[in-house]
Amino acid sequence: MRTDEDKARELLANARAIVVFTGAGVSADSGVPTFRGAASDAMWKMFDPQELASMEGFAANPQRCYDWYNLRRAQLATIQPNPAHHAIARLQSRGAVIVTQNIDGLHERVAPPGAVVHRVHGTILQDKCLNETCPHRETIDLNNLPPLRKCPRCGNYLRPAVVWFGEMLPGDVWHAAEMAVAACDVLLVVGTSGEVWPAAGLVHLAQRKRARIIIVNLEPGELDNLASFLFHDRAASVLPQLVD
Ligand code: BV8
């Protein structure tokens, strides 16, 4: 009797074009707090996203906002990719494309050379200028975190190079992510509540394009009804079983 796992594994093995769409849950097994969900560390329970992950929040209190990002960066300095990231990297070596909502850089740490990671919500590993027309960027050393500071080029504040609530997603990355999803025949969705838009809309796009959708998520979520195969379990335990 073939289990759902057998069928999902076969789907991935025979796929023409795989996209892996990930959220905070894929990093949860590495110890990175998720935003929502039952886990007691769910980040937004402690902080209000509108207050901290938004232009208004930064403008109201730049120091508090920047300190919060440095707190998250300090956590990342001691965190390692988990078996889910490694299993996804093995899919990348077979040509899979990653679209991630995560800003933690963990996929990139284990991605094979030349692998594609579309970061639709930006990256915590860089600062950019608050002034969108200023091109200045600085890469962050997680072991030597910089203070809140001004742009040497234009004098505005530097801020984390992430997409805040209310901000547009980076146009080129978003377009590439939509094209990859529209062209895939299997979409593997890992560790996302499906609550944040327009990113969650990518799964609906895959369904409209008749791709087969596999969802791995610890808890029931907004996207479950779109799944051909649905696994409510930890990504670190399910992904290796689906990929190998
Ligand atoms: C925009 C970077 C406006 C910052 C983040 C409709 C259309 C467009 C916009 C909206 C819309 N409706 C509402 C909006 C506004 C808003 C939004 O979606 N709000 C939500 C809260 C309702 N969207 C925006 O503001 C976006 N911008 O739309 O611009 C606009 C629109 C048109 C034209 C002009 C302008 C920008 C959104 C990006 C915000 N930035 N992050 C930072 O991190 O500080 S979002 C943040 O949430 C992270 O990126 C995170 O990845 C993302 C999504 O959450 P998830 O990844 O899904 O994480 P979550 O915790 O929710 O879920 C984790 C899941 O994992 C859980 O289900 C859990 O059960 C599971 N899990 C836990 N452990 C495990 C596990 N699974 C497997 N294994 C485990 N071990």
Side-chain angles (χ1 to χ4, degrees):
M1 166 67 179
R2 290 189 321 140
T3 65
D4 270 1
E5 225 152 59
D6 296 335
K7 293 175 196 164
R9 189 170 32 246
E10 198 173 295
L11 201 56
L12 285 168
N14 299 328
R16 172 185 47 78
I18 298 171
V19 171
V20 187
F21 176 56
T22 64
V26 78
S27 298
D29 290 313
S30 297
V32 181
T34 61
F35 293 79
R36 300 162 193 87
S40 59
D41 67 3
M43 191 186 302
W44 298 129
K45 282 182 189 161
M46 291 182 274
F47 298 101
D48 170 3
Q50 303 311 333
E51 190 193 346
L52 287 169
S54 68
M55 184 63 84
E56 295 73 24
F58 182 84
N61 190 336
Q63 190 64 59
R64 175 166 155 71
C65 179
Y66 199 83
D67 288 349
W68 179 56
Y69 279 94
N70 268 357
L71 177 73
R72 293 166 69 187
R73 285 164 170 166
Q75 283 173 340
L76 276 175
T78 61
I79 270 173
Q80 294 304 322
N82 67 62
H85 294 108
H86 288 284
I88 290 168
R90 288 195 290 280
L91 284 179
Q92 284 183 287
S93 56
R94 288 169 9 201
V97 166
I98 295 185
V99 175
T100 189
Q101 300 171 89
N102 298 341
I103 61 174
D104 57 30
L106 291 180
H107 285 305
E108 294 83 339
R109 285 199 212 171
V110 295
V116 176
V117 181
H118 297 304
R119 290 191 296 263
V120 295
H121 291 161
T123 175
I124 202 171
L125 304 177
Q126 285 182 5
D127 276 345
K128 67 178 184 179
C129 188
L130 198 61
N131 169 2
E132 285 184 354
T133 62
C134 174
H136 187 71
R137 277 200 176 228
E138 295 183 7
T139 297
I140 300 298
D141 175 354
L142 291 177
N143 296 301
N144 183 18
L145 295 176
L148 172 69
R149 63 210 181 284
K150 297 294 180 64
C151 173
R153 193 180 177 127
C154 76
N156 277 286
Y157 277 118
L158 294 182
R159 48 152 292 181
V162 300
V163 178
W164 278 333
F165 287 99
E167 288 191 318
M168 290 287 283
L169 278 57
D172 52 346
V173 177
W174 179 244
H175 180 67
E178 283 188 309
M179 298 290 281
V181 169
C184 79
D185 60 333
V186 176
L187 179 70
L188 174 59
V189 182
V190 187
T192 182
S193 60
E195 291 181 27
V196 174
W197 286 77
L202 291 171
V203 187
H204 296 266
L205 170 62
Q207 192 208 30
R208 285 198 302 279
K209 296 287 186 177
R210 303 269 179 277
R212 302 293 300 281
I213 297 168
I214 302 166
I215 294 182
V216 179
N217 203 59
L218 189 59
E219 297 153 292
E222 301 274 315
L223 302 164
D224 286 5
N225 62 313
L226 304 177
S228 304
F229 296 103
L230 177 61
F231 303 95
H232 283 156
D233 200 341
R234 309 194 75 81
S237 62
V238 174
L239 266 284
Q241 293 170 45
L242 294 186
V243 171
D244 301 329

